[in-house]
Every structure is written in structure tokens, then in C-alpha cells.
Amino acid sequence: MTQTTNPLDAWIAEERAIIDRLEGGPGPGLARPEQVAGKTGLEVMQAMLNGDIPYAAIAKTLDFTIISVSKGVAVFQGTPLAQHLNPLGTIHGGWVATMLDSALGCSVHTMMPPGRAYTTAELSVNYVRAVTPKVQRVRAEGKVIHCGRQLATAEARLVGADGTLYAHATTTCLVFEVPAAR
């Protein structure tokens, strides 16, 4: 007889293991230049996920966590809490947009060769269902559509453990050479 795992329980267990690893490393902050020099964007993201370099402080501030990265893909998981509510009693759209933007940007980051970086030029979010604190976890999965020398585009979806779609988004990022340190 096979044991069926509740998807939400699996998500929470995976999140706990990752948070323990991240908090066992340097915690939130900025990587030093020598920690990222010569690395691809994917290598930097993997080092962050492994707890070898600091992770973005915004994730701790807004209660979301990087879950996985691979070439052209980044997944974040968040906990919608009462502190994220807007005056109407639903999770603020900015919280949703920030999770989606993180997944989008990090998916593009995984495609950067050493010495290249990106910045968001455009973010478009479509909200299709309200998120409330009753939704225990949501995941934002960003996937690169195109990554060229000057522009990259990506798409993301924010879903619950039961598969409910709450929002989806797209981004256009400007890709550029990292200026040499002086």
C-alpha cells in the first residue's frame, strides 16, 4: 500500500528544510563580490539556496522562501499572513507581485553567464483570485521564455498547493554587462 502525502504537508516540510539550511548559512544580506565573481547566475542562485552566500532580505521581511532553481526556472513559496492584509481583508497585491517578481527575476538570473546581469524593465501582473491567510502557502514558479544579449522575458504563475491559480505575471528584463569594479 502506498502512502499518499498531502501536497501542502510536503510543501511545508520542504520549506522547513530549506529555511533551516538558509538560516544555518550567513542569513539574509548581500554576497561579497568575491563570492559571486566568475560564477554564472545559476551557480550564484544555487549557492544562495545551499546557504553558502546570503539570501535576499526581502524574503525574510515578506515571509517567502526560495524553494528551487534550475536553468531558466525559479520557484518561491510564501506564507500569506495577517500582516500582509490590505484594508479589504485580502493579501495585498504588492505581496503577490513581489513573490511573482522574485520568481521571474531569479529565473532570468539563472540564465546569466559570468559578468552579465539584468534589471526589470517591465512587470505585468494579473490577479485572478484573492489570496487570504486561509491559504496556508502559495508558490510562484517563474520560467524564462527568451533570454538574449539585451533582453530577457519570463512568465510566472502563483498557485496554491491544491493547484488553484491566484495570479500570473510576465516580465521584460534588460540584460547588460556588469561594470568592472574600480
Side-chain angles (χ1 to χ4, degrees), residues 90-112:
T90 60
I91 299 301
H92 193 281
W95 185 85
V96 169
T98 302
M99 266 198 69
L100 287 164
D101 183 52
S102 296
L104 290 162
C106 288
S107 71
V108 170
H109 196 124
T110 67
M111 301 294 288
M112 296 294 104

Side-chain angles (χ1 to χ4, degrees), residues 1-172:
M1 184 172 170
T2 59
Q3 183 178 1
T4 306
T5 303
N6 174 337
L8 179 61
D9 292 340
W11 279 20
I12 291 170
E14 182 179 20
E15 175 187 286
R16 181 76 262 147
I18 291 167
I19 288 172
D20 288 347
R21 185 171 61 237
L22 293 177
E23 292 300 324
L30 297 173
R32 294 184 315 277
E34 65 270 14
Q35 290 178 302
V36 297
K39 289 185 170 64
T40 67
L42 180 57
E43 290 169 333
V44 170
M45 295 303 303
Q46 289 169 332
M48 183 184 304
L49 188 57
N50 290 336
D52 298 331
I53 63 174
Y55 64 90
I58 190 72
K60 189 168 188 105
T61 301
L62 294 181
D63 302 295
F64 62 79
T65 305
I66 187 168
I67 295 294
S68 66
V69 293
S70 58
K71 188 172 183 172
V73 179
V75 179
F76 283 77
Q77 183 166 299
T79 307
L81 300 170
Q83 65 211 39
H84 306 131
L85 290 173
N86 63 30
L88 300 175
T90 60
I91 299 301
H92 193 281
W95 185 85
V96 169
T98 302
M99 266 198 69
L100 287 164
D101 183 52
S102 296
L104 290 162
C106 288
S107 71
V108 170
H109 196 124
T110 67
M111 301 294 288
M112 296 294 104
R116 302 286 289 171
Y118 70 96
T119 190
T120 300
E122 176 272 337
L123 172 67
S124 176
V125 179
N126 295 284
Y127 302 91
V128 297
R129 176 175 233 128
V131 179
T132 70
K134 289 181 183 178
V135 179
Q136 293 183 15
R137 296 293 190 284
V138 288
R139 278 196 175 179
E141 180 174 333
K143 293 181 181 179
V144 170
I145 298 169
H146 167 79
C147 189
R149 260 190 70 65
Q150 295 181 319
L151 290 176
T153 58
E155 60 189 3
R157 296 167 48 93
L158 185 80
V159 299
D162 64 356
T164 299
L165 176 67
Y166 292 97
H168 54 96
T170 58
T171 193
T172 301

